[in-house]
Amino acid sequence: MTHQVPLFILYGSATGNAESIAKDLAAKYRDRLPLPFNDLVCCEANDFKKKCLPIWELEPPQNLATKYGLIFITSTTGNGDSPENASRFIRFLKRKNTIESLPLKHVVFGVLGLGDTNYDKFCETGKVADKKLAECGGKCVKQLGMADEATGLEEVVDVWVQDVVPFMAQACLPVTDSCVEEKKIEEDGCGAIDRGVPDTPRNQHRTNNNIRGARPDVQSILRSRMGQSVPVSSSNDAKLGSSLNGKEQRLPSEITQKVQEMQLQSVGNSLNIQSPSPLFILYGSVTGNAEHIAKSLAAKYEKILSEKKEECYFPGVVCCELDQYKKKCTSTWEDDSLLRKDDGQKHGVLILTSTTGNGDAPENASRFTRFVKRKTTAETVPFRHVAYAVLGLGDTNYDKFCETGKIIDRKLKELGGTRVLDLTCADEATGLEQFVDPWMDKIFHVLSQRCRGMHSKKDSFMTNEKQGDQNPTPDKIMSSSSPSLDGPKNSPIPVKVSEPTCTTSLLGTTVIRQLLPSHYEMPNKIDKSLLPTLGSKLSSCQLYNEDEQYGRKDSRGLSLSEVDKVTISSCTSSNLHYTMNEPFESTILGARYLTNTSVEGAKFAAEILENAYTLQDGTFDSRYSLAKKKIQEYFNLKSEDGSKHGKRVIEMKLSLPDDFSLDFQPGDSIGMVVSNTDEAVTFVLDMLEKEHGLPSTQQIILDNKRPVTVAYATSNLIDLCSPIKNKRILLSLSQFATDDLEAETLKLLSSKDPVGQDLFKKYVDEQRLSMVDILKVFPSCQKIPVEGLFSILPSLAPRYYSISSSPLNQEKNLPPYLTITYSVVDYVSPVLKLNDGTPLQRRVSGLTTSHLEVLCAPHLSGRSDNLASFSVDRVKLFPKPAADFRLPPVLSDPMLLIGPGTGVAPFIGFLRHREAQLMSTDSTKLAKVVSEGTWRGGFEFEKEDLPVTNVDAKGLVMGADYRQDQRIGDIALYFGCRFQDHDWLYKSEMEEFRAKGILSHLGVAFSRDSMHPKYYVQDKLRNDAHLISKMITEQNAYVYICGDGNAMAKDVQNALVDILAQHLFGENADATSLARDYLSDLKSKKKLLLDVWS
């Protein structure tokens, strides 16, 4: 009788997607199942007891199979709930007695989760199932797949299901005769073969464990990874042991280390050739991410070089901005005199670049990008002697994702370069590390092989996948010779109150101990393979002696490289330039709350900002801190109106140069140069003086620039206050900790260990801990010297805000100005509950917006009549022109504007501009210039220039009047907010624009108003589907979307797809697909424009 070895395909489905995928997969293999499977069971997960469990509990016949195969495909409903037809199965897996009985010990599995990233608990049921199946004895042989319905299930599902059944089959096959023979040889000291499961991220560490009772075949492993025969020392054989009695065992770390060392040797020694040129690593960076990764990569190679110079192919490394290519790179790249051309030897170049705006290159990469795009450059083929790889950083919330990286990658190929690796695009929206780390692991080997003339495709240089277990259990990262915690890990914490305690009031080691799962022991030493690569110094810092010389700049303080960064748009006939390094110091001319917010808090703050106010400690710098505290005290976020108190939106009016040397157009943004808070700066300065005797007046030199005081650098040049997102900062800081326990705790938080990742998310990320917070809760790290501090922290990035005014619509009694609209960041973090029940929570404030609220206090409180009596700093700003987010070129083009929340800001600028245009729409040259939006100011309209005077306009609906003559297009504005009576921004302006006929349609949605059902802007669009479809398809309207890119932008675009599918392609079976293509075509034609942020 033939014994059954079924392949089980279970599904949990709410809308039918998971069921459809499962049944399609079953249909594909039902008549051609790979061995060892001889039957197939496809059913709802809740049928497991009847159709699956009786078989799972029996050991399969070993001559047929070692395991049964289980594929589980499930969606997630609600806020992380399992589908109804999988709920019993999930509950079964989660029961304690189920886990203890190990009912899946004879099963290998893979889980595919379907979800939607617009929900917090994305693919939660899939994640739970993947975890619990393993805890119940199952072995995962296929990495958890998570498909996002928001972006399209196909791109994940198609790849995941393509090979899942062969994976299952290979994992379940019995030991073959050849394996038995290898085992016999192994007993004589030669080792067993590594049959393995195909290498996927989840099972790379399991490949040696698929043979029951087999030891790792070290020689086979080394041969397969090195491509050569490698002897194994008897000492290593002894460590493997003579017999494992049928138990599974991992490859020892000593052998893994040997593999790594021999891989490294193969990079440099296999042909005994060394490059005549250094490794070039160039970066284009806006926020510092690309720069940090590039410098980390350079430091990694320099470390390898210092330890094993004779084994490295490149003799050195050059790391610089892309725009320094002419000075530092070109002469080498074009020189082939030292290359072994017969072998195909090349110079090695790595490029890492972000993308800014709507596909624009970063400022420090703009000249290089223009260079590779020129037609004249193509004639010289300047990269014919270069082998290269490009890593692009971007954000999928923008249409032109990683556009700069794509352009450079394509152009270098066209200009003669040899691409050694396909372009890698890392997505900031989902996390850069999952793309960046694998790229960094293999790139040296791949590039070295190609540059020396080798064409091998075996890219295995020091990758994490070659270092054993990727998901180690707690005992695998323990060491018996390291510090341990004082007392049991769940010992009571002294602080015990009903109200949440401030997160930073407890030591970090105490909090982490109280967050550890009950089954987990605090690691004494973290496995190095789980830690991120330490980066290079972000800034070089040295103490300055007045007798030393330094490179001086010109009279305005601009270096040549900084002059090169000045964009044409920030440069005018007055020859004044305003950049991040040389901003314009603007005066606040006015401010008002756009939300229904009390000004009492601002009044308290204004009193403190008065010159007559005397501080108790007599220090001026704490004035802003005290004013901020007064505002926060007034706005109690835990009161009944806490949600409204936390939502405060301000319009701020900022002066511009009188000579119009800083111009702007509707759609532009401004960058704002910011400083750290007084509290943060004071803490660090006190720390440096206490620990190192370093006064705040001591001058230092950063990156060979002009000397500055420690106080200035700490306040303005490093980021002390932003929430920590980069785990490498924690790892770097651990190197300076004098307490071993603190050092290992920081390493755990920075590691890839699953428990460490969970702790980082809960403690560091969700509690929004900054560098200063970490220094406070890990006090032994306060020994860090000033050189160390500046070496690990990124620079302070500017903040960008959309302009909400028009250069044509200016008040006559004021100097030139612009307005910006911003939401004050002020909220409480999620409650973090410790194991003993202690709740932790903290109030989080935006570095820039909370400070701006304080600076605006005199205006917000109505006391702007005597500004001279207040001590208020100026605001440093510089222009950031938009590339495409502009008004249509002619007045007759209709516009569909969609901007919930502060996303409406640029549209208010659009409407104010259009209102000014309507005041002068004759055929004169003046009107033509105005309508094109290029007027720069500097003169006033004369009454005779205007076809409609202000007096004539009384009672006249201007827009409607001209629209009847078909001289301007319709404008529809869609706005969304939470409460009608609180945060309907620009309500009076919108209603006035509609009354004047400038707006032809106004749609508003309220999502939290008790007077209305929960209703979002995308719902309003769907309700007005006929109007939307008509504007887009018949009137050929320009469509603009501005605001939150995490969910809103995707939801709005999905709504537009639904509308077009229904009204334009309704009879077609592929209506949705055609509608998406139609929308993509609008984007390519720049008729659908986005300005979104995460």
Side-chain angles (χ1 to χ4, degrees):
M1 184 179 76
T2 303
H3 291 277
Q4 275 192 323
V5 183
L7 170 65
F8 297 90
I9 302 178
L10 305 185
Y11 57 86
S13 187
T15 62
N17 285 332
E19 180 179 358
S20 175
I21 295 167
K23 290 183 175 178
D24 287 348
L25 185 63
K28 177 180 178 181
Y29 285 99
R30 187 170 296 280
D31 297 325
R32 53 190 185 95
L33 278 171
L35 292 176
F37 304 127
N38 54 25
D39 194 11
L40 190 148
V41 174
C42 179
C43 63
E44 292 181 351
N46 279 353
D47 289 338
F48 75 100
K49 278 192 177 180
K50 178 180 178 182
K51 298 184 178 181
C52 310
L53 197 57
I55 298 177
W56 291 346
E57 291 175 344
L58 300 174
E59 184 176 7
Q62 294 301 291
N63 63 326
L64 296 179
T66 60
K67 301 278 185 180
Y68 302 109
L70 166 62
I71 299 170
F72 182 36
I73 303 173
T74 181
S75 61
T76 296
T77 74
N79 192 23
D81 302 322
S82 56
E84 188 173 345
N85 58 3
S87 57
R88 289 201 304 274
F89 180 59
I90 297 299
R91 288 198 300 271
F92 169 79
L93 295 177
K94 292 165 75 173
R95 288 184 195 135
K96 187 176 180 180
N97 59 354
T98 301
I99 295 174
E100 291 172 351
S101 65
L102 299 177
L104 283 92
K105 57 181 175 291
H106 303 308
V107 172
V108 297
F109 70 88
V111 177
L112 173 62
L114 312 183
D116 189 333
T117 49
N118 291 314
Y119 291 87
D120 293 335
K121 295 188 176 180
F122 171 60
C123 286
E124 183 69 6
T125 304
K127 294 175 184 176
V128 169
D130 187 68
K131 178 182 177 182
K132 293 300 177 181
L133 286 168
E135 291 178 0
C136 292
K139 177 178 288 186
C140 176
V141 295
K142 178 68 173 176
Q143 183 181 17
L144 171 66
M146 293 190 289
D148 183 11
E149 192 168 1
T151 58
L153 297 173
E154 298 80 8
E155 62 185 61
V156 174
V157 171
D158 291 349
V159 174
W160 196 90
V161 302
Q162 184 177 11
D163 57 5
V164 63
V165 173
F167 264 88
M168 294 290 154
Q170 279 193 321
C172 295
L173 279 170
V175 179
T176 63
D177 291 340
S178 62
C179 290
V180 174
E181 182 65 22
E182 288 286 346
K183 180 170 174 61
K184 183 177 179 181
I185 295 172
E186 170 216 342
E187 291 170 352
D188 294 330
C190 297
I193 66 167
D194 175 13
R195 178 177 62 79
V197 179
D199 283 337
T200 64
R202 277 298 290 268
N203 71 307
Q204 283 150 356
H205 61 286
R206 299 183 175 92
T207 55
N208 296 323
N209 299 337
N210 294 319
I211 307 174
R212 294 165 57 85
R215 289 182 301 176
D217 176 7
V218 177
Q219 291 187 357
S220 176
I221 292 170
L222 292 176
R223 284 196 299 270
S224 66
R225 296 182 182 183
M226 300 301 302
Q228 54 185 337
S229 177
V230 181
V232 181
S233 66
S234 58
S235 62
N236 284 336
D237 287 341
K239 289 175 183 176
L240 292 174
S242 59
S243 175
L244 299 181
N245 298 323
K247 295 182 180 180
E248 300 176 348
Q249 180 159 325
R250 294 189 303 115
L251 185 66
S253 59
E254 294 87 354
I255 302 303
T256 302
Q257 181 64 30
K258 184 68 176 175
V259 172
Q260 295 175 8
E261 291 176 0
M262 299 192 70
Q263 287 175 325
L264 180 59
Q265 185 174 355
S266 75
V267 174
N269 281 355
S270 46
L271 288 182
N272 197 26
I273 297 175
Q274 192 172 57
S275 172
S277 58
L279 169 63
F280 292 92
I281 301 177
L282 291 86
Y283 59 85
S285 188
V286 179
T287 63
N289 283 332
E291 178 180 359
H292 180 76
I293 296 168
K295 289 182 176 179
S296 298
L297 196 63
K300 180 179 178 180
Y301 193 82
E302 286 172 345
K303 182 179 180 182
I304 299 171
L305 196 62
S306 66
E307 296 172 351
K308 302 177 183 295
K309 183 174 182 179
E310 70 283 356
E311 299 175 3
C312 294
Y313 174 65
F314 298 105
V317 59
V318 172
C319 183
C320 63
E321 295 177 345
L322 273 164
D323 278 355
Q324 293 182 311
Y325 74 100
K326 277 190 178 180
K327 180 180 179 182
K328 297 188 176 183
C329 310
T330 302
S331 60
T332 302
W333 294 346
E334 295 179 350
D335 184 5
D336 66 341
S337 61
L338 299 178
L339 294 175
R340 298 162 61 103
K341 292 182 285 294
D342 293 340
D343 294 334
Q345 197 177 17
K346 301 282 186 180
H347 302 295
V349 178
L350 299 176
I351 293 177
L352 302 88
T353 181
S354 59
T355 296
T356 180
N358 192 23
D360 304 325
E363 280 193 357
N364 59 2
S366 56
R367 282 191 289 121
F368 179 82
T369 306
R370 291 197 298 271
F371 167 72
V372 299
K373 291 165 73 174
R374 288 187 197 127
K375 290 183 179 179
T376 53
T377 303
E379 298 170 359
T380 63
V381 197
F383 296 96
R384 61 191 180 279
H385 306 308
V386 166
Y388 73 92
V390 179
L391 172 65
L393 311 184
D395 189 329
T396 48
N397 288 314
Y398 288 87
D399 295 325
K400 296 188 176 180
F401 173 59
C402 288
E403 182 72 10
T404 303
K406 293 175 182 177
I407 289 173
I408 292 176
D409 181 68
R410 184 179 73 251
K411 287 297 181 181
L412 261 59
K413 182 71 175 175
E414 294 174 1
L415 297 174
T418 300
R419 183 190 291 126
V420 302
L421 199 65
D422 288 340
L423 169 70
T424 297
C425 295
D427 182 12
E428 192 168 4
T430 58
L432 296 175
E433 290 178 351
Q434 62 178 300
F435 304 96
V436 172
D437 288 350
W439 189 86
M440 290 180 66
D441 285 339
K442 65 185 176 183
I443 193 58
F444 291 150
H445 174 70
V446 177
L447 187 65
S448 298
Q449 294 285 72
R450 182 60 192 89
C451 285
R452 73 161 54 87
M454 298 175 62
H455 296 272
S456 170
K457 295 183 179 178
K458 296 179 180 178
D459 307 331
S460 57
F461 181 78
M462 295 186 73
T463 56
N464 286 339
E465 64 223 45
K466 304 299 183 185
Q467 299 180 17
D469 200 335
Q470 291 295 293
N471 293 299
T473 54
D475 60 303
K476 294 176 185 175
I477 62 173
M478 294 289 292
S479 172
S480 59
S481 58
S482 289
S484 61
L485 287 164
D486 297 326
K489 63 179 178 295
N490 289 330
S491 58
I493 292 179
V495 180
K496 194 74 174 172
V497 292
S498 57
E499 278 295 309
T501 303
C502 180
T503 307
T504 55
S505 65
L506 300 179
L507 291 179
T509 51
T510 302
V511 174
I512 295 303
R513 182 184 66 213
Q514 283 287 324
L515 289 174
L516 288 174
S518 58
H519 66 273
Y520 190 92
E521 293 295 330
M522 182 71 181
N524 293 323
K525 192 170 184 180
I526 306 298
D527 188 335
K528 289 183 179 180
S529 67
L530 298 175
L531 298 175
T533 305
L534 270 180
S536 65
K537 296 179 179 180
L538 292 184
S539 297
S540 63
C541 173
Q542 63 186 76
L543 300 182
Y544 171 67
N545 185 320
E546 292 186 2
D547 295 332
E548 296 177 9
Q549 297 295 318
Y550 62 93
R552 296 185 178 274
K553 302 180 179 182
D554 64 18
S555 59
R556 292 201 70 240
L558 285 175
S559 67
L560 291 177
S561 63
E562 289 168 340
V563 169
D564 287 337
K565 291 180 184 179
V566 176
T567 59
I568 295 174
S569 58
S570 63
C571 192
T572 68
S573 58
S574 66
N575 203 30
L576 290 177
H577 312 286
Y578 298 108
T579 67
M580 181 176 67
N581 294 322
E582 292 291 327
F584 171 70
E585 294 193 358
S586 174
T587 301
I588 300 175
L589 301 178
R592 59 172 175 147
Y593 282 118
L594 295 176
T595 45
N596 186 16
T597 300
S598 170
V599 299
E600 292 302 314
K603 288 180 179 179
F604 294 140
E607 290 177 4
I608 297 171
L609 296 181
E610 283 188 291
N611 293 324
Y613 186 88
T614 303
L615 295 170
Q616 291 183 352
D617 58 7
T619 60
F620 174 79
D621 287 343
S622 61
R623 189 183 293 270
Y624 293 114
S625 302
L626 184 57
K628 175 183 169 183
K629 289 176 183 176
K630 287 293 183 182
I631 291 177
Q632 290 190 340
E633 287 173 4
Y634 181 79
F635 295 114
N636 183 358
L637 301 187
K638 294 184 179 181
S639 66
E640 185 178 347
D641 292 325
S643 61
K644 292 183 178 180
H645 285 168
K647 183 66 174 179
R648 308 192 297 277
V649 179
I650 297 173
E651 182 189 68
M652 184 166 65
K653 191 173 295 182
L654 295 165
S655 70
L656 296 177
D658 291 334
D659 60 359
F660 301 96
S661 56
L662 195 161
D663 59 343
F664 71 94
Q665 296 182 45
D668 286 349
S669 301
I670 62 161
M672 197 170 289
V673 179
V674 299
S675 300
N676 291 303
T677 64
D678 292 338
E679 302 99 317
V681 173
T682 300
F683 174 84
V684 171
L685 292 178
D686 290 347
M687 177 190 80
L688 293 174
E689 186 162 16
K690 175 185 175 183
E691 301 294 342
H692 303 286
L694 188 71
S696 60
T697 55
Q698 168 68 49
Q699 289 194 314
I700 56 176
I701 297 178
L702 298 174
D703 297 332
N704 298 316
K705 295 181 180 179
R706 86 175 82 180
V708 295
T709 64
V710 172
Y712 177 85
T714 304
S715 178
N716 301 289
L717 302 183
I718 54 174
D719 194 344
L720 297 173
C721 299
S722 294
I724 291 177
K725 295 292 185 182
N726 192 332
K727 294 182 179 180
R728 290 185 177 88
I729 293 177
L730 299 181
L731 179 60
S732 298
L733 192 60
S734 72
Q735 311 302 307
F736 297 98
T738 57
D739 181 270
D740 290 339
L741 180 57
E742 288 190 7
E744 293 306 314
T745 303
L746 286 168
K747 289 178 183 177
L748 174 64
L749 290 171
S750 69
S751 73
K752 295 178 183 177
D753 173 64
V755 172
Q757 290 178 320
D758 184 59
L759 291 173
F760 177 86
K761 181 175 183 290
K762 290 179 179 176
Y763 182 52
V764 180
D765 185 30
E766 292 182 355
Q767 296 299 309
R768 315 298 284 171
L769 298 188
S770 67
M771 181 62 169
V772 168
D773 295 325
I774 294 293
L775 288 170
K776 288 178 179 178
V777 298
F778 293 95
S780 79
C781 296
Q782 294 177 22
K783 300 288 185 182
I784 186 172
V786 66
E787 296 88 349
L789 192 67
F790 280 86
S791 71
I792 67 176
L793 283 180
S795 57
L796 258 177
R799 274 52 170 177
Y800 295 97
Y801 300 96
S802 297
I803 297 174
S804 54
S805 57
S806 162
L808 304 184
N809 193 344
Q810 301 269 304
E811 297 179 34
K812 291 185 178 181
N813 59 336
L814 291 178
Y817 67 88
L818 56 78
T819 63
I820 62 170
T821 304
Y822 63 90
S823 181
V824 179
V825 177
D826 189 13
Y827 62 95
V828 291
S829 66
V831 173
L832 179 63
K833 207 162 196 178
L834 303 185
N835 291 339
D836 72 342
T838 302
L840 301 180
Q841 195 175 44
R842 66 196 302 247
R843 188 166 182 167
V844 181
S845 299
L847 173 62
T848 308
T849 56
S850 59
H851 183 63
L852 290 177
E853 185 177 29
V854 171
L855 296 184
C856 291
H859 296 278
L860 295 172
S861 61
R863 301 186 60 190
S864 57
D865 53 332
N866 188 18
L867 292 176
S869 64
F870 294 95
S871 296
V872 177
D873 287 346
R874 292 193 172 198
V875 178
K876 299 177 181 179
L877 54 87
F878 60 95
K880 187 178 186 297
D884 301 312
F885 204 78
R886 293 271 192 246
L887 282 163
V890 295
L891 290 171
S892 59
D893 289 323
M895 292 187 288
L896 174 58
L897 313 176
I898 307 167
T902 53
V904 78
F907 301 144
I908 296 299
F910 280 12
L911 295 170
R912 286 170 172 169
H913 200 76
R914 179 56 60 89
E915 181 179 26
Q917 288 175 318
L918 290 177
M919 296 297 293
S920 182
T921 52
D922 62 8
S923 58
T924 63
K925 179 179 179 180
L926 171 62
K928 181 177 184 296
V929 173
V930 171
S931 67
E932 291 174 351
T934 56
W935 177 69
R936 297 164 59 89
F939 60 90
E940 300 293 340
F941 295 137
E942 298 298 333
K943 289 184 178 180
E944 55 269 23
D945 293 326
L946 301 177
V948 182
T949 67
N950 292 334
V951 175
D952 294 333
K954 288 182 179 179
L956 173 65
V957 180
M958 295 185 297
D961 182 63
Y962 287 116
R963 194 172 288 111
Q964 289 175 2
D965 296 333
Q966 297 181 342
R967 297 174 66 181
I968 69 168
D970 289 339
I971 304 177
L973 172 64
Y974 283 84
F975 172 76
C977 62
R978 296 188 300 176
F979 301 100
Q980 179 177 1
D981 63 350
H982 179 71
D983 54 345
W984 183 349
L985 312 181
Y986 294 107
K987 177 182 179 181
S988 60
E989 286 86 344
M990 291 181 189
E991 292 175 340
E992 185 178 350
F993 286 138
R994 184 171 57 180
K996 289 182 176 180
I998 296 168
L999 271 180
S1000 56
H1001 181 79
L1002 175 62
V1004 186
F1006 309 107
S1007 62
R1008 298 291 187 275
D1009 205 321
S1010 59
M1011 298 171 60
H1012 304 275
K1014 190 174 286 188
Y1015 195 63
Y1016 296 98
V1017 70
Q1018 59 266 24
D1019 299 319
K1020 185 65 176 174
L1021 290 170
R1022 287 189 172 95
N1023 279 357
D1024 293 346
H1026 181 75
L1027 170 66
I1028 301 299
S1029 176
K1030 180 180 179 182
M1031 289 192 71
I1032 295 175
T1033 61
E1034 297 180 21
Q1035 299 181 15
N1036 199 27
Y1038 282 76
V1039 183
Y1040 299 82
I1041 303 172
C1042 183
D1044 168 39
N1046 288 330
M1048 181 279 298
K1050 296 175 184 177
D1051 292 341
V1052 166
Q1053 290 180 80
N1054 287 335
L1056 294 178
V1057 168
D1058 293 343
I1059 291 168
L1060 293 174
Q1062 177 185 356
H1063 290 266
L1064 190 59
F1065 305 106
E1067 300 300 323
N1068 197 302
D1070 297 324
T1072 300
S1073 177
L1074 292 171
R1076 290 193 186 280
D1077 292 341
Y1078 190 92
L1079 216 60
S1080 297
D1081 187 54
L1082 290 179
K1083 292 178 183 178
S1084 65
K1085 293 177 179 178
K1086 301 190 186 306
K1087 298 299 293 286
L1088 172 57
L1089 301 162
L1090 282 77
D1091 182 6
V1092 297
W1093 53 83
S1094 300

